[in-house]
Structures are given as C-alpha cells and as structure tokens.
Amino acid sequence: MLFYSFFKTLVGKEIAVELKNDVVLTGTLHSVDQYLNVKLTNVQVVDKQKYPQLLALRNCFIRGSVVRYIQIPAGDVDTELLQDAARKENAPSSSLAKSSSGGEGTKKK
C-alpha cells in the first residue's frame, strides 16, 4: 500500500512510464489504483520514429503488470516522508514479533 499511497500524491504531475515492451510514454498522471494501474492524459510517446502508430494517442490506461519503470521528477518526491513511511510499514509490530518467536527450548518428543 506504500506505493499506492505515494502515487496518489502524484496525481496531476508529469511522469514517464516505461513498459515491458520498451515503449516509453510521458503524460500527466490522472489516476492510480491499488493494482498500480495508471491512467495518463496528454500522452506523448518518447520515440516517435519507432512507434508512429502511437502519435494520435492522447489518453491511456496502463495495466500495472506491464509497467517496467515509472519515472518522476525529483522535485516531486519528499524522500524523508517516503523513507519514514517505508520504515513504519516494515517495522515489526511488537505483538506480532512476540507471538512468532515460538519460545525457546521447546522440543517435540
């Protein structure tokens, strides 16, 4: 959920999406869902010579499973907030850590 929450903060920003088939699209992030599917508006293809069939594309929906990378401007990232959220998400909960330890010295006979 960390990435989903993070990408929701980028709605309205310009991003570049590289797909697994090597197509790179740039556009304005319109929406994102929990599967990291993204909807872009004002879409432009980076390599116009290689993909002329995509020149007419203005809006698109991209399934999250076909995305290789999403590039965002460095100025749009609050790295302190992101690192803090990652630490909180990965921190073991105290009750979970105690219950999963199983106790020492227990042997089956």
Side-chain angles (χ1 to χ4, degrees), residues 8 11 15 26 28-29 35-37 50 53 60 63 65 68 79 83-84 90 94 96 104:
K8 281 189 349 184
V11 170
I15 63 170
T26 60
T28 304
L29 182 62
Y35 302 105
L36 299 182
N37 299 322
K50 191 172 181 181
Q53 68 273 23
C60 71
R63 183 180 167 128
S65 64
R68 182 179 294 149
T79 55
Q83 288 174 349
D84 206 30
N90 291 322
S94 60
L96 181 61
E104 291 184 31

CSV table of all heavy atoms in Angstrom, one decimal, residues 8 11 15 26 28-29 35-37 50 53 60 63 65 68 79 83-84 90 94 96 104:
chain,number,residue,atom,x,y,z
A,8,LYS,N,-0.7,8.2,-5.4
A,8,LYS,CA,-1.9,9.0,-5.3
A,8,LYS,C,-1.5,10.5,-5.0
A,8,LYS,O,-2.2,11.4,-5.5
A,8,LYS,CB,-2.8,8.5,-4.1
A,8,LYS,CG,-3.6,7.4,-4.5
A,8,LYS,CD,-4.7,6.9,-3.5
A,8,LYS,CE,-4.7,7.6,-2.2
A,8,LYS,NZ,-5.7,7.0,-1.3
A,11,VAL,N,-0.8,12.5,-8.4
A,11,VAL,CA,-1.9,12.8,-9.4
A,11,VAL,C,-1.8,14.3,-9.8
A,11,VAL,O,-1.6,15.2,-9.0
A,11,VAL,CB,-3.3,12.5,-8.8
A,11,VAL,CG1,-4.4,13.0,-9.7
A,11,VAL,CG2,-3.4,11.0,-8.6
A,15,ILE,N,4.7,12.5,-15.5
A,15,ILE,CA,5.5,11.3,-15.3
A,15,ILE,C,5.9,10.6,-16.6
A,15,ILE,O,5.2,10.9,-17.6
A,15,ILE,CB,4.8,10.2,-14.4
A,15,ILE,CG1,3.6,9.7,-15.0
A,15,ILE,CG2,4.5,10.8,-13.0
A,15,ILE,CD1,3.0,8.5,-14.3
A,26,THR,N,5.1,9.5,-21.9
A,26,THR,CA,5.0,10.6,-20.9
A,26,THR,C,3.6,11.2,-20.9
A,26,THR,O,2.9,11.2,-21.9
A,26,THR,CB,6.1,11.7,-21.2
A,26,THR,OG1,5.7,12.3,-22.5
A,26,THR,CG2,7.5,11.2,-21.2
A,28,THR,N,0.5,13.2,-18.0
A,28,THR,CA,0.0,13.7,-16.7
A,28,THR,C,-0.7,12.5,-16.0
A,28,THR,O,-1.6,12.0,-16.6
A,28,THR,CB,-0.9,14.9,-16.9
A,28,THR,OG1,-0.2,15.9,-17.6
A,28,THR,CG2,-1.3,15.4,-15.5
A,29,LEU,N,-0.3,12.2,-14.8
A,29,LEU,CA,-1.0,11.2,-14.1
A,29,LEU,C,-2.4,11.6,-13.7
A,29,LEU,O,-2.5,12.6,-13.0
A,29,LEU,CB,-0.1,10.8,-12.8
A,29,LEU,CG,-0.7,9.7,-12.0
A,29,LEU,CD1,-0.7,8.4,-12.7
A,29,LEU,CD2,0.1,9.5,-10.7
A,35,TYR,N,-3.9,-1.7,-7.8
A,35,TYR,CA,-3.1,-2.6,-8.5
A,35,TYR,C,-1.9,-1.9,-9.3
A,35,TYR,O,-1.3,-2.5,-10.1
A,35,TYR,CB,-3.9,-3.4,-9.5
A,35,TYR,CG,-5.0,-4.1,-8.8
A,35,TYR,CD1,-6.4,-3.7,-8.9
A,35,TYR,CD2,-4.8,-5.3,-8.1
A,35,TYR,CE1,-7.4,-4.4,-8.2
A,35,TYR,CE2,-5.8,-6.0,-7.5
A,35,TYR,CZ,-7.1,-5.5,-7.5
A,35,TYR,OH,-8.1,-6.2,-6.9
A,36,LEU,N,-1.8,-0.6,-9.0
A,36,LEU,CA,-0.9,0.3,-9.7
A,36,LEU,C,-1.1,0.4,-11.2
A,36,LEU,O,-0.2,0.7,-12.0
A,36,LEU,CB,0.6,-0.1,-9.4
A,36,LEU,CG,1.0,0.0,-7.9
A,36,LEU,CD1,2.4,-0.4,-7.7
A,36,LEU,CD2,0.7,1.3,-7.3
A,37,ASN,N,-2.4,0.2,-11.6
A,37,ASN,CA,-2.8,0.6,-12.9
A,37,ASN,C,-2.8,2.1,-13.0
A,37,ASN,O,-3.2,2.7,-12.0
A,37,ASN,CB,-4.2,0.1,-13.2
A,37,ASN,CG,-4.3,-1.4,-13.2
A,37,ASN,OD1,-3.4,-2.1,-13.6
A,37,ASN,ND2,-5.4,-1.9,-12.6
A,50,LYS,N,10.1,5.3,-33.9
A,50,LYS,CA,9.9,3.8,-33.7
A,50,LYS,C,8.4,3.4,-33.5
A,50,LYS,O,8.0,2.3,-33.9
A,50,LYS,CB,10.7,3.4,-32.5
A,50,LYS,CG,10.8,1.9,-32.3
A,50,LYS,CD,11.8,1.5,-31.2
A,50,LYS,CE,12.0,0.0,-31.1
A,50,LYS,NZ,12.9,-0.4,-30.0
A,53,GLN,N,2.5,4.7,-34.7
A,53,GLN,CA,1.1,4.4,-34.5
A,53,GLN,C,0.6,5.0,-33.2
A,53,GLN,O,-0.6,5.1,-33.0
A,53,GLN,CB,0.9,2.9,-34.6
A,53,GLN,CG,1.5,2.1,-33.4
A,53,GLN,CD,3.0,1.7,-33.6
A,53,GLN,OE1,3.7,2.3,-34.4
A,53,GLN,NE2,3.4,0.7,-32.9
A,60,CYS,N,-4.6,7.4,-22.0
A,60,CYS,CA,-4.5,5.9,-22.0
A,60,CYS,C,-4.5,5.4,-20.6
A,60,CYS,O,-4.3,6.0,-19.6
A,60,CYS,CB,-3.2,5.5,-22.7
A,60,CYS,SG,-1.7,5.8,-21.8
A,63,ARG,N,-2.1,-1.0,-17.7
A,63,ARG,CA,-2.2,-2.1,-16.6
A,63,ARG,C,-0.9,-2.1,-15.9
A,63,ARG,O,0.2,-2.1,-16.4
A,63,ARG,CB,-2.6,-3.4,-17.3
A,63,ARG,CG,-2.8,-4.5,-16.3
A,63,ARG,CD,-3.1,-5.8,-17.1
A,63,ARG,NE,-2.9,-6.9,-16.1
A,63,ARG,CZ,-3.9,-7.8,-16.0
A,63,ARG,NH1,-5.0,-7.7,-16.7
A,63,ARG,NH2,-3.7,-8.8,-15.1
A,65,SER,N,0.7,-4.5,-14.4
A,65,SER,CA,1.6,-5.6,-14.7
A,65,SER,C,2.5,-5.4,-15.9
A,65,SER,O,3.4,-6.2,-16.0
A,65,SER,CB,0.8,-6.9,-14.8
A,65,SER,OG,-0.1,-6.8,-15.9
A,68,ARG,N,7.3,-1.4,-16.5
A,68,ARG,CA,8.7,-1.7,-16.0
A,68,ARG,C,9.2,-0.7,-15.0
A,68,ARG,O,9.7,-1.0,-14.0
A,68,ARG,CB,9.6,-1.8,-17.2
A,68,ARG,CG,11.1,-2.1,-16.8
A,68,ARG,CD,12.0,-2.2,-18.0
A,68,ARG,NE,11.6,-3.4,-18.9
A,68,ARG,CZ,11.8,-3.4,-20.2
A,68,ARG,NH1,12.3,-2.4,-20.8
A,68,ARG,NH2,11.4,-4.4,-20.9
A,79,THR,N,11.6,12.7,-0.1
A,79,THR,CA,12.3,11.5,0.3
A,79,THR,C,12.2,11.2,1.8
A,79,THR,O,12.2,10.0,2.2
A,79,THR,CB,13.8,11.6,-0.2
A,79,THR,OG1,14.4,12.7,0.4
A,79,THR,CG2,13.9,11.6,-1.7
A,83,GLN,N,10.9,7.7,3.1
A,83,GLN,CA,11.7,6.8,3.9
A,83,GLN,C,11.0,6.5,5.2
A,83,GLN,O,11.1,5.4,5.7
A,83,GLN,CB,13.1,7.4,4.1
A,83,GLN,CG,13.9,7.4,2.9
A,83,GLN,CD,15.2,8.2,3.1
A,83,GLN,OE1,15.4,8.9,4.1
A,83,GLN,NE2,16.1,8.0,2.1
A,84,ASP,N,10.4,7.5,5.8
A,84,ASP,CA,9.7,7.3,7.1
A,84,ASP,C,8.6,6.4,6.9
A,84,ASP,O,8.4,5.5,7.8
A,84,ASP,CB,9.2,8.7,7.6
A,84,ASP,CG,9.1,8.8,9.1
A,84,ASP,OD1,9.8,8.1,9.8
A,84,ASP,OD2,8.2,9.5,9.5
A,90,ASN,N,7.6,-1.4,7.4
A,90,ASN,CA,8.4,-2.6,7.6
A,90,ASN,C,8.8,-2.9,9.0
A,90,ASN,O,9.4,-3.9,9.3
A,90,ASN,CB,9.7,-2.5,6.7
A,90,ASN,CG,9.4,-2.6,5.3
A,90,ASN,OD1,8.6,-3.3,4.8
A,90,ASN,ND2,10.1,-1.7,4.5
A,94,SER,N,5.1,-5.1,17.8
A,94,SER,CA,5.6,-5.8,19.0
A,94,SER,C,4.8,-7.0,19.3
A,94,SER,O,5.4,-8.0,19.7
A,94,SER,CB,5.6,-4.8,20.2
A,94,SER,OG,4.2,-4.4,20.4
A,96,LEU,N,3.2,-9.0,17.2
A,96,LEU,CA,3.5,-10.0,16.2
A,96,LEU,C,4.8,-10.6,16.4
A,96,LEU,O,5.0,-11.8,16.3
A,96,LEU,CB,3.4,-9.4,14.8
A,96,LEU,CG,3.7,-10.3,13.6
A,96,LEU,CD1,2.6,-11.4,13.6
A,96,LEU,CD2,3.6,-9.5,12.3
A,104,GLU,N,11.8,-20.5,23.2
A,104,GLU,CA,13.0,-21.3,23.1
A,104,GLU,C,12.9,-22.6,23.9
A,104,GLU,O,12.1,-22.7,24.9
A,104,GLU,CB,14.2,-20.5,23.6
A,104,GLU,CG,14.5,-19.3,22.7
A,104,GLU,CD,15.8,-18.6,23.2
A,104,GLU,OE1,16.7,-19.3,23.8
A,104,GLU,OE2,15.9,-17.4,23.0
